[in-house]
Each structure stands twice: as structure tokens, then as C-alpha cells.
Amino acid sequence: MKFGGTSVASVQRMRAVADRLIARRTAGDEVVAVVSAMGKVTDELLALAHQITPHPSMRELDMLLATGEQSSIALLAMAVQAAGIPAISFTGSQVGIVTDSVYSKAKILQLDAARVMDALAQHNIVIVAGFQGRTADGQITTLGRGGSDTTAVALAAGVGADVCEIYTDVDGVYTADPRIVPRARKIRRVSYEEMLEMAASGADVLSMRSVEFARNYGVTIHCRSSFTDQPGTIVKEADSLMEDAIVSAVTSDTSEAKITIRGVPDHPGVAARVFSTLAGANVNVDMIIQNISEDGQTDISFTAPETDLHRAGGALEAVISGIGARTWTIDDNIAKISLVGAGMKTHPGITARMFKVLAAAGVNIDLISTSPIRLSCIIAQPQVEVAVRALHTEFGLDASA
Ligand code: ADP
Ligand code: ASP
Ligand code: MG
């Protein structure tokens, strides 16, 4: 049972979470809980660090951010114990969550469930800090924003749980972010494949890595509200009960920026050098577009998370004169909007419909990328809400009023 920041934002909510854990335990289940930092604590810690220095050391930043979750687990364990039920809290490091050494977006390499199993055997409700782990040589790492979901799914796989319940401030996965589209509808069941594309394209109700993990280890996720008992959304292998909609969801992501390199000599090996330098600096490149070359020169644009911009800049400075390119520029006022749907595989014409709707809404398209079940466009950030709502309506996703 994983609880996000909003769900543990106050003492009162912490107690409500403790009550849920106890109720489940009383019903006869063994319970492992994963919690996030309270409320906006992670953002506050980040802001503090940036008041000290614009580019804090990545190691120290992870050391700092991991404290948010560490506070939550101790408080939640106290709340459970105060109700007379045994509970014990553990950090990621204590339960053997071993990651690679990429600070701020570390990947889980290994997890040793023995300590959790022992604590369960001693009748505890086990409470584990989300979002954190340690490297093989003992450095504290964090798993990237939203990473508590990943901790939860990894632990669910590790202990062989029946289900990984992700409790949050919405009552499931919707056809669009309900904050943007008030008429979005709850999706009852969704496949790993579609959920993965949704998470990757901005539906941060579940972190992308958590869905990847769930798919790889066959963990069923139940994403639901921490404020009600209504059933939420089940994420699992595709089956015949799932809707075969052409478009299942519209997503958006405003966390990326577009970088354009101008005057790039158009000969073999240049793109390889640019993108291997970026990869070496741990920049997650998303969409890439290269223009038709004129006079042996071309422009290359790509998108990457804004949080990677500083590293991307450093990498580009190092490579740009070496390849003989002219300049590079950044545009962080962009958004990515996407249509996701397994039915798109077999339905041509969706692209044209998407472009028509965007044109009618006066939205200009900058970059485009596709996968068999996703269609994404980069547009100007101020138009993102208009675009998402127009697409949601066009593809028949609006709830009836
Ligand atoms: P938590 O702190 O519990 O992890 P998050 O803020 O990470 O919560 O995720 C929940 C939020 O995700 C919701 O409040 C909602 O606004 C947003 N969201 C974005 N896309 C979707 C979607 N398709 N369905 C449901 N929620 C979504
Ligand atoms: N506290 C971390 C964050 O805000 C991890 C999480 O909540 O999943 O991103
Ligand atoms: Mg989250």
C-alpha cells in the first residue's frame, strides 16, 4: 500500500493512513506500506538547496531529498504503534534497495526482501521509505520525481504481494489529467502497454518506471483514492475485458525543453557524437528532429527534461565546436501533448484527425513523434490546456454532462 505526498500531508492524514493499514491488517492481510515525503516537502527541500547554490552537488541533493521520506516513515510507524499495533519503519537502504549511481534518477538494480519478510513474520506492519535506495558502495540515491511508486512496485514484486495498491489524491487513472479536463473519465482497467505510454508522456499519476517494473515482474497495480473506498483503476496485462478504444487517453507534459543546434555539418558520425555526449552526461533525450540540409548544413532539435538542461548545456558546449556547428538555443516554453491508445495500431487516419483538431484550435505543431500506440506533438506551452481539451472532445472521451 503506497501513499503519496498529499495522502500524508498532515498529522490527521497520517493517522487516516495508519487506520487504513490497520484495517487491512485486521482483515487478515500482511501489510507493507511505502510512503512519500509529506505534502510539498520534496519541493521545499529542493528550493532550500537552490537557495544555497544554483547547482548543488548531486550527491548532497539526494542526501537531502531522502530525508523527506525518512520523516514520513517514522511518523507513520509512530501513528500505527500508538493504536497498539506493532510497526517498524525502514529506509530504502535498510531494506536493501540497491541502485546504480546516477543521483536524482537512480535505477533499482537489486532488492533484498529478506528484512521485510522477517519483520512481517514478527507481525509488524512494515513501513518503507519511497523514492530512495543506496549504491553498491553505500551512497544514498533517489529514484527521480514520483519514485515512491517505483519503490512500491519493486517491493510488491520482491515480497510476492497479491497487488500493489497506489493510494493518491485522485480515485484512479483518467482519460486525461482531471485538473486540465474536468470531463475526464476514470478508466477501470488499463494494460501495462497503454499505461506505460501514458506515464511516459506526462500522466504522472503513476511513475513510468513503476509501470515498467510492474510489467516486467507481472505486478498488478490498483491505483485508487486515499480519501474514499471506491475501486480505482487496475493496471495489468491486456485482456478481453479492457475497452478497445482507438484513443484511450490524452496526456500532456510541460516538463521538457527543446534544444536546437544550428549549422550542423551534415555528414556521417555527427549526430552520433552529439547524442553520445548527451548520453554520457545522463541527459534523457526524448524527441529528435533533423531538418533537410542546405549547403551541407542542417539544424537538429531535440527535447529533454528541463531538469537535465544544465547538464545538456555543459555537454553541448563540449561538443559543438568539435563538430563545427554554429550555435545552440533553448526553448523551455513548450509542451508535449499525446494521444495514447492500443486501437491506434489498426486505425489509420488518427494523425490527420489530430492535426485537424489542433489547426481548428489555432495550435501550431512544432515536432511530431509516433509509436504504434502513441502520437505526440510539441506545441507552445500556453496552448496546452486548449489543445488537450479539444482532443479529448474530438476522440469521444468526454464524460456525458
Ligand atoms: P502522489 O503524490 O500521490 O504520488 P501525484 O501528484 O504524483 O500524486 O499524482 C496524482 C496526480 O496526477 C493527480 O492529482 C492528477 O492531477 C495527476 N494526473 C495527471 N494525469 C492524470 C491522469 N490521466 N489520471 C489521473 N490523474 C492524473
Ligand atoms: N517525494 C518524491 C517526489 O515528490 C517521491 C514521490 O513522491 O514519489 O517526487
Ligand atoms: Mg506521484
Side-chain angles (χ1 to χ4, degrees), residues 331-348:
D331 180 358
D332 58 9
N333 200 22
I334 58 149
K336 179 170 73 176
I337 50 168
S338 308
L339 301 180
V340 176
M344 287 203 286
K345 272 183 198 159
T346 46
H347 282 81

Side-chain angles (χ1 to χ4, degrees), residues 43-322:
D43 291 329
E44 287 159 13
L45 291 171
L46 266 174
L48 265 181
H50 287 105
Q51 278 174 41
I52 299 271
T53 165
H55 302 299
S57 132
M58 301 297 279
R59 179 188 184 279
E60 302 311 329
L61 199 55
D62 277 11
M63 186 67 98
L64 177 70
L65 294 188
T67 64
E69 272 67 14
Q70 192 170 337
S71 305
S72 293
I73 53 168
L75 291 168
L76 183 57
M78 291 173 199
V80 175
Q81 290 164 356
I85 304 290
I88 183 166
S89 67
F90 293 116
T91 63
S93 172
Q94 283 179 311
V95 292
I97 296 180
V98 177
T99 71
D100 64 18
S101 53
V102 184
Y103 293 117
S104 88
K105 49 179 166 184
K107 281 205 171 89
I108 297 178
L109 300 177
Q110 203 183 306
L111 181 152
D112 173 14
R115 195 155 185 185
V116 174
M117 296 305 269
D118 282 351
L120 284 175
Q122 286 160 25
H123 310 293
N124 288 292
I125 289 182
V126 179
I127 300 169
V128 179
F131 177 57
Q132 54 175 260
R134 66 165 166 84
T135 63
D137 59 359
Q139 307 292 338
I140 305 263
T141 51
T142 66
L143 309 179
R145 298 308 303 267
S148 297
D149 297 341
T150 314
T151 305
V153 175
L155 268 174
V159 302
D162 301 320
V163 61
C164 179
E165 295 186 330
I166 303 218
Y167 290 83
T168 183
D169 57 6
V170 271
D171 63 356
V173 177
Y174 277 68
T175 51
D177 186 340
R179 279 183 294 206
I180 298 179
V181 183
R183 292 176 69 185
R185 283 186 292 122
K186 181 157 78 182
I187 305 173
R188 301 252 159 234
R189 303 156 73 88
V190 62
S191 66
Y192 294 129
E193 194 189 21
E194 283 183 303
M195 193 62 231
L196 200 54
E197 292 281 1
M198 286 177 66
S201 60
D204 38 33
V205 57
L206 293 175
S207 84
M208 183 179 81
R209 290 247 184 92
S210 73
V211 184
E212 224 166 27
F213 226 102
R215 182 196 58 190
N216 292 349
Y217 291 88
V219 175
T220 299
I221 296 178
H222 183 184
C223 176
R224 57 190 301 188
S225 167
S226 59
F227 306 121
T228 73
D229 286 322
Q230 295 303 310
T233 300
I234 301 288
V235 187
K236 59 196 283 280
E237 211 63 75
D239 67 30
S240 55
L241 286 177
M242 286 176 191
E243 281 180 53
D244 212 8
I246 299 173
V247 174
S248 303
V250 183
T251 57
S252 61
D253 184 353
T254 54
S255 69
E256 292 191 342
K258 183 181 76 168
I259 298 173
T260 303
I261 316 175
R262 296 190 194 283
V264 183
D266 193 12
H267 49 70
V270 170
R273 265 181 78 185
V274 170
F275 290 101
S276 50
T277 310
L278 288 165
N282 278 309
V283 176
N284 279 345
V285 173
D286 181 16
M287 292 187 184
I288 303 175
I289 193 162
Q290 177 173 333
N291 283 344
I292 291 174
S293 70
E294 265 173 56
D295 308 325
Q297 289 203 327
T298 184
D299 295 343
I300 298 178
S301 291
F302 63 92
T303 61
E306 283 172 2
T307 48
D308 288 1
L309 276 184
H310 178 61
R311 268 172 289 122
L316 288 176
E317 282 304 325
V319 80
I320 214 122
S321 59

